[in-house]
mmCIF file of all heavy atoms in Angstrom:
data_model
loop_
_atom_site.group_PDB
_atom_site.id
_atom_site.type_symbol
_atom_site.label_atom_id
_atom_site.label_comp_id
_atom_site.label_asym_id
_atom_site.label_seq_id
_atom_site.Cartn_x
_atom_site.Cartn_y
_atom_site.Cartn_z
ATOM 1 N N PRO A 1 40.557 -126.134 132.700
ATOM 2 C CA PRO A 1 41.262 -126.940 133.714
ATOM 3 C C PRO A 1 40.647 -126.711 135.096
ATOM 4 O O PRO A 1 40.353 -125.565 135.465
ATOM 5 C CB PRO A 1 42.702 -126.415 133.638
ATOM 6 C CG PRO A 1 42.833 -125.907 132.233
ATOM 7 C CD PRO A 1 41.488 -125.319 131.895
ATOM 8 N N GLN A 2 40.473 -127.804 135.863
ATOM 9 C CA GLN A 2 39.765 -127.651 137.129
ATOM 10 C C GLN A 2 40.157 -128.715 138.139
ATOM 11 O O GLN A 2 40.579 -129.826 137.782
ATOM 12 C CB GLN A 2 38.249 -127.725 136.904
ATOM 13 C CG GLN A 2 37.745 -129.086 136.463
ATOM 14 C CD GLN A 2 36.252 -129.119 136.169
ATOM 15 O OE1 GLN A 2 35.850 -129.558 135.107
ATOM 16 N NE2 GLN A 2 35.422 -128.673 137.108
ATOM 17 N N VAL A 3 39.995 -128.344 139.396
ATOM 18 C CA VAL A 3 40.072 -129.295 140.504
ATOM 19 C C VAL A 3 38.714 -129.303 141.177
ATOM 20 O O VAL A 3 38.200 -128.247 141.568
ATOM 21 C CB VAL A 3 41.168 -128.918 141.516
ATOM 22 C CG1 VAL A 3 41.129 -129.868 142.716
ATOM 23 C CG2 VAL A 3 42.547 -128.965 140.862
ATOM 24 N N ALA A 4 38.128 -130.483 141.294
ATOM 25 C CA ALA A 4 36.807 -130.636 141.899
ATOM 26 C C ALA A 4 36.944 -131.381 143.218
ATOM 27 O O ALA A 4 37.515 -132.477 143.265
ATOM 28 C CB ALA A 4 35.883 -131.398 140.958
ATOM 29 N N ILE A 5 36.425 -130.776 144.284
ATOM 30 C CA ILE A 5 36.543 -131.329 145.631
ATOM 31 C C ILE A 5 35.212 -131.962 146.026
ATOM 32 O O ILE A 5 34.177 -131.297 146.058
ATOM 33 C CB ILE A 5 36.940 -130.229 146.637
ATOM 34 C CG1 ILE A 5 38.287 -129.622 146.225
ATOM 35 C CG2 ILE A 5 37.013 -130.782 148.052
ATOM 36 C CD1 ILE A 5 38.630 -128.338 146.959
ATOM 37 N N PHE A 6 35.256 -133.262 146.337
ATOM 38 C CA PHE A 6 34.054 -134.004 146.698
ATOM 39 C C PHE A 6 34.083 -134.381 148.175
ATOM 40 O O PHE A 6 35.136 -134.742 148.715
ATOM 41 C CB PHE A 6 33.942 -135.287 145.870
ATOM 42 C CG PHE A 6 33.347 -135.097 144.497
ATOM 43 C CD1 PHE A 6 34.068 -134.464 143.509
ATOM 44 C CD2 PHE A 6 32.067 -135.558 144.209
ATOM 45 C CE1 PHE A 6 33.532 -134.282 142.239
ATOM 46 C CE2 PHE A 6 31.519 -135.380 142.949
ATOM 47 C CZ PHE A 6 32.250 -134.739 141.961
ATOM 48 N N GLY A 7 32.912 -134.303 148.801
ATOM 49 C CA GLY A 7 32.761 -134.714 150.189
ATOM 50 C C GLY A 7 31.751 -135.827 150.323
ATOM 51 O O GLY A 7 32.058 -137.000 150.178
ATOM 52 N N SER A 8 30.481 -135.446 150.570
ATOM 53 C CA SER A 8 29.435 -136.445 150.836
ATOM 54 C C SER A 8 28.886 -137.097 149.573
ATOM 55 O O SER A 8 28.163 -138.082 149.644
ATOM 56 C CB SER A 8 28.276 -135.792 151.582
ATOM 57 O OG SER A 8 27.635 -134.827 150.749
ATOM 58 N N SER A 9 29.195 -136.537 148.413
ATOM 59 C CA SER A 9 28.630 -137.063 147.168
ATOM 60 C C SER A 9 29.603 -138.019 146.489
ATOM 61 O O SER A 9 30.743 -138.202 146.924
ATOM 62 C CB SER A 9 28.238 -135.910 146.233
ATOM 63 O OG SER A 9 29.315 -135.017 146.052
ATOM 64 N N ASP A 10 29.150 -138.619 145.400
ATOM 65 C CA ASP A 10 29.869 -139.714 144.756
ATOM 66 C C ASP A 10 30.413 -139.266 143.397
ATOM 67 O O ASP A 10 29.638 -139.025 142.469
ATOM 68 C CB ASP A 10 28.902 -140.895 144.574
ATOM 69 C CG ASP A 10 29.576 -142.130 144.013
ATOM 70 O OD1 ASP A 10 30.780 -142.066 143.687
ATOM 71 O OD2 ASP A 10 28.897 -143.171 143.901
ATOM 72 N N PRO A 11 31.737 -139.165 143.245
ATOM 73 C CA PRO A 11 32.284 -138.740 141.955
ATOM 74 C C PRO A 11 32.083 -139.751 140.833
ATOM 75 O O PRO A 11 32.277 -139.419 139.665
ATOM 76 C CB PRO A 11 33.776 -138.531 142.257
ATOM 77 C CG PRO A 11 34.047 -139.337 143.469
ATOM 78 C CD PRO A 11 32.777 -139.347 144.266
ATOM 79 N N ALA A 12 31.665 -140.980 141.172
ATOM 80 C CA ALA A 12 31.335 -141.939 140.115
ATOM 81 C C ALA A 12 29.974 -141.620 139.496
ATOM 82 O O ALA A 12 29.711 -141.956 138.344
ATOM 83 C CB ALA A 12 31.337 -143.364 140.671
ATOM 84 N N HIS A 13 29.115 -140.961 140.258
ATOM 85 C CA HIS A 13 27.753 -140.658 139.802
ATOM 86 C C HIS A 13 27.676 -139.306 139.108
ATOM 87 O O HIS A 13 26.988 -139.149 138.092
ATOM 88 C CB HIS A 13 26.793 -140.693 140.991
ATOM 89 C CG HIS A 13 25.361 -140.441 140.655
ATOM 90 N ND1 HIS A 13 24.673 -141.167 139.705
ATOM 91 C CD2 HIS A 13 24.481 -139.534 141.140
ATOM 92 C CE1 HIS A 13 23.433 -140.721 139.616
ATOM 93 N NE2 HIS A 13 23.293 -139.725 140.466
ATOM 94 N N THR A 14 28.360 -138.302 139.657
ATOM 95 C CA THR A 14 28.295 -136.948 139.085
ATOM 96 C C THR A 14 29.700 -136.361 138.916
ATOM 97 O O THR A 14 30.016 -135.303 139.482
ATOM 98 C CB THR A 14 27.455 -136.013 139.978
ATOM 99 O OG1 THR A 14 28.004 -136.026 141.317
ATOM 100 C CG2 THR A 14 26.006 -136.437 140.021
ATOM 101 N N PRO A 15 30.566 -137.012 138.145
ATOM 102 C CA PRO A 15 31.916 -136.479 137.991
ATOM 103 C C PRO A 15 31.956 -135.291 137.036
ATOM 104 O O PRO A 15 31.049 -135.123 136.216
ATOM 105 C CB PRO A 15 32.669 -137.669 137.378
ATOM 106 C CG PRO A 15 31.622 -138.353 136.542
ATOM 107 C CD PRO A 15 30.349 -138.221 137.329
ATOM 108 N N PRO A 16 33.008 -134.475 137.126
ATOM 109 C CA PRO A 16 33.225 -133.466 136.085
ATOM 110 C C PRO A 16 33.748 -134.186 134.841
ATOM 111 O O PRO A 16 34.830 -134.778 134.873
ATOM 112 C CB PRO A 16 34.284 -132.543 136.701
ATOM 113 C CG PRO A 16 35.025 -133.407 137.671
ATOM 114 C CD PRO A 16 34.039 -134.423 138.176
ATOM 115 N N LEU A 17 32.994 -134.165 133.764
ATOM 116 C CA LEU A 17 33.322 -134.968 132.588
ATOM 117 C C LEU A 17 34.227 -134.183 131.644
ATOM 118 O O LEU A 17 33.782 -133.573 130.672
ATOM 119 C CB LEU A 17 32.034 -135.419 131.901
ATOM 120 C CG LEU A 17 31.202 -136.394 132.736
ATOM 121 C CD1 LEU A 17 29.798 -136.547 132.175
ATOM 122 C CD2 LEU A 17 31.885 -137.744 132.838
ATOM 123 N N SER A 18 35.498 -134.195 131.962
ATOM 124 C CA SER A 18 36.477 -133.457 131.183
ATOM 125 C C SER A 18 37.852 -134.075 131.401
ATOM 126 O O SER A 18 38.185 -134.480 132.528
ATOM 127 C CB SER A 18 36.503 -131.981 131.610
ATOM 128 O OG SER A 18 37.632 -131.321 131.096
ATOM 129 N N ASP A 19 38.646 -134.146 130.338
ATOM 130 C CA ASP A 19 40.010 -134.647 130.489
ATOM 131 C C ASP A 19 40.932 -133.610 131.110
ATOM 132 O O ASP A 19 42.108 -133.883 131.364
ATOM 133 C CB ASP A 19 40.573 -135.136 129.147
ATOM 134 C CG ASP A 19 40.557 -134.061 128.061
ATOM 135 O OD1 ASP A 19 40.206 -132.897 128.364
ATOM 136 O OD2 ASP A 19 40.890 -134.382 126.913
ATOM 137 N N LYS A 20 40.387 -132.426 131.389
ATOM 138 C CA LYS A 20 41.160 -131.382 132.059
ATOM 139 C C LYS A 20 40.745 -131.217 133.521
ATOM 140 O O LYS A 20 41.075 -130.211 134.156
ATOM 141 C CB LYS A 20 41.013 -130.053 131.316
ATOM 142 C CG LYS A 20 41.640 -130.077 129.924
ATOM 143 C CD LYS A 20 41.638 -128.701 129.285
ATOM 144 C CE LYS A 20 42.359 -128.739 127.934
ATOM 145 N NZ LYS A 20 42.428 -127.398 127.312
ATOM 146 N N ALA A 21 40.014 -132.204 134.027
ATOM 147 C CA ALA A 21 39.539 -132.142 135.415
ATOM 148 C C ALA A 21 40.256 -133.175 136.281
ATOM 149 O O ALA A 21 40.535 -134.288 135.839
ATOM 150 C CB ALA A 21 38.034 -132.401 135.461
ATOM 151 N N LYS A 22 40.538 -132.767 137.500
ATOM 152 C CA LYS A 22 41.064 -133.681 138.517
ATOM 153 C C LYS A 22 40.118 -133.636 139.716
ATOM 154 O O LYS A 22 39.690 -132.559 140.142
ATOM 155 C CB LYS A 22 42.474 -133.269 138.953
ATOM 156 C CG LYS A 22 43.549 -133.389 137.860
ATOM 157 C CD LYS A 22 44.020 -134.818 137.691
ATOM 158 C CE LYS A 22 45.135 -134.916 136.641
ATOM 159 N NZ LYS A 22 46.459 -134.525 137.184
ATOM 160 N N VAL A 23 39.783 -134.818 140.227
ATOM 161 C CA VAL A 23 38.883 -134.935 141.379
ATOM 162 C C VAL A 23 39.694 -135.271 142.616
ATOM 163 O O VAL A 23 40.593 -136.123 142.577
ATOM 164 C CB VAL A 23 37.827 -136.033 141.132
ATOM 165 C CG1 VAL A 23 37.062 -136.354 142.410
ATOM 166 C CG2 VAL A 23 36.859 -135.599 140.036
ATOM 167 N N ILE A 24 39.385 -134.605 143.719
ATOM 168 C CA ILE A 24 39.937 -134.978 145.020
ATOM 169 C C ILE A 24 38.796 -135.482 145.887
ATOM 170 O O ILE A 24 37.835 -134.752 146.166
ATOM 171 C CB ILE A 24 40.642 -133.791 145.708
ATOM 172 C CG1 ILE A 24 41.825 -133.315 144.860
ATOM 173 C CG2 ILE A 24 41.119 -134.190 147.103
ATOM 174 C CD1 ILE A 24 42.562 -132.126 145.455
ATOM 175 N N TRP A 25 38.873 -136.733 146.267
ATOM 176 C CA TRP A 25 37.858 -137.391 147.095
ATOM 177 C C TRP A 25 38.572 -138.389 147.982
ATOM 178 O O TRP A 25 39.347 -139.219 147.476
ATOM 179 C CB TRP A 25 36.825 -138.091 146.213
ATOM 180 C CG TRP A 25 35.643 -138.662 146.937
ATOM 181 C CD1 TRP A 25 34.823 -138.020 147.809
ATOM 182 C CD2 TRP A 25 35.126 -140.003 146.830
ATOM 183 N NE1 TRP A 25 33.822 -138.856 148.252
ATOM 184 C CE2 TRP A 25 33.976 -140.076 147.659
ATOM 185 C CE3 TRP A 25 35.513 -141.123 146.106
ATOM 186 C CZ2 TRP A 25 33.233 -141.244 147.803
ATOM 187 C CZ3 TRP A 25 34.760 -142.284 146.234
ATOM 188 C CH2 TRP A 25 33.632 -142.343 147.078
ATOM 189 N N LEU A 26 38.350 -138.336 149.274
ATOM 190 C CA LEU A 26 39.087 -139.187 150.206
ATOM 191 C C LEU A 26 38.543 -140.608 150.279
ATOM 192 O O LEU A 26 39.227 -141.504 150.789
ATOM 193 C CB LEU A 26 39.086 -138.550 151.605
ATOM 194 C CG LEU A 26 39.778 -137.182 151.696
ATOM 195 C CD1 LEU A 26 39.768 -136.693 153.130
ATOM 196 C CD2 LEU A 26 41.201 -137.243 151.157
ATOM 197 N N ASN A 27 37.324 -140.831 149.788
ATOM 198 C CA ASN A 27 36.731 -142.174 149.770
ATOM 199 C C ASN A 27 36.785 -142.837 151.152
ATOM 200 O O ASN A 27 37.214 -143.979 151.306
ATOM 201 C CB ASN A 27 37.446 -143.044 148.724
ATOM 202 C CG ASN A 27 36.672 -144.305 148.387
ATOM 203 O OD1 ASN A 27 35.489 -144.414 148.701
ATOM 204 N ND2 ASN A 27 37.340 -145.269 147.786
ATOM 205 N N LEU A 28 36.357 -142.106 152.161
ATOM 206 C CA LEU A 28 36.334 -142.626 153.527
ATOM 207 C C LEU A 28 35.289 -143.738 153.654
ATOM 208 O O LEU A 28 34.367 -143.824 152.839
ATOM 209 C CB LEU A 28 36.004 -141.499 154.504
ATOM 210 C CG LEU A 28 36.966 -140.306 154.528
ATOM 211 C CD1 LEU A 28 36.479 -139.267 155.534
ATOM 212 C CD2 LEU A 28 38.376 -140.749 154.849
ATOM 213 N N PRO A 29 35.391 -144.575 154.679
ATOM 214 C CA PRO A 29 34.391 -145.643 154.862
ATOM 215 C C PRO A 29 32.960 -145.125 154.976
ATOM 216 O O PRO A 29 32.015 -145.825 154.613
ATOM 217 C CB PRO A 29 34.841 -146.320 156.173
ATOM 218 C CG PRO A 29 36.307 -146.049 156.252
ATOM 219 C CD PRO A 29 36.501 -144.686 155.644
ATOM 220 N N CYS A 30 32.791 -143.885 155.447
ATOM 221 C CA CYS A 30 31.452 -143.315 155.602
ATOM 222 C C CYS A 30 30.980 -142.582 154.345
ATOM 223 O O CYS A 30 29.887 -142.009 154.340
ATOM 224 C CB CYS A 30 31.423 -142.359 156.792
ATOM 225 S SG CYS A 30 32.678 -141.061 156.721
ATOM 226 N N SER A 31 31.778 -142.587 153.290
ATOM 227 C CA SER A 31 31.437 -141.858 152.064
ATOM 228 C C SER A 31 31.055 -142.822 150.945
ATOM 229 O O SER A 31 31.580 -143.935 150.875
ATOM 230 C CB SER A 31 32.639 -141.029 151.597
ATOM 231 O OG SER A 31 33.016 -140.072 152.554
ATOM 232 N N PRO A 32 30.185 -142.418 150.036
ATOM 233 C CA PRO A 32 29.384 -141.194 150.064
ATOM 234 C C PRO A 32 28.127 -141.396 150.901
ATOM 235 O O PRO A 32 27.438 -142.406 150.764
ATOM 236 C CB PRO A 32 29.026 -140.994 148.591
ATOM 237 C CG PRO A 32 28.954 -142.399 148.037
ATOM 238 C CD PRO A 32 29.981 -143.195 148.797
#
């Protein structure tokens, strides 16, 4: 089980591939 925190990178391109993972990404206009 994991929480993955994304900033400048793109969770659509390099996501944690697990049904036990949750991604936090704010998806700001300047991201990624």
Side-chain angles (χ1 to χ4, degrees):
Q2 67 183 128
V3 175
I5 300 167
F6 277 72
S8 66
S9 52
D10 185 356
H13 182 55
T14 56
L17 294 166
S18 167
D19 57 5
K20 294 187 176 183
K22 294 281 182 80
V23 169
I24 298 179
W25 187 52
L26 298 183
N27 195 15
L28 300 179
C30 54
S31 299

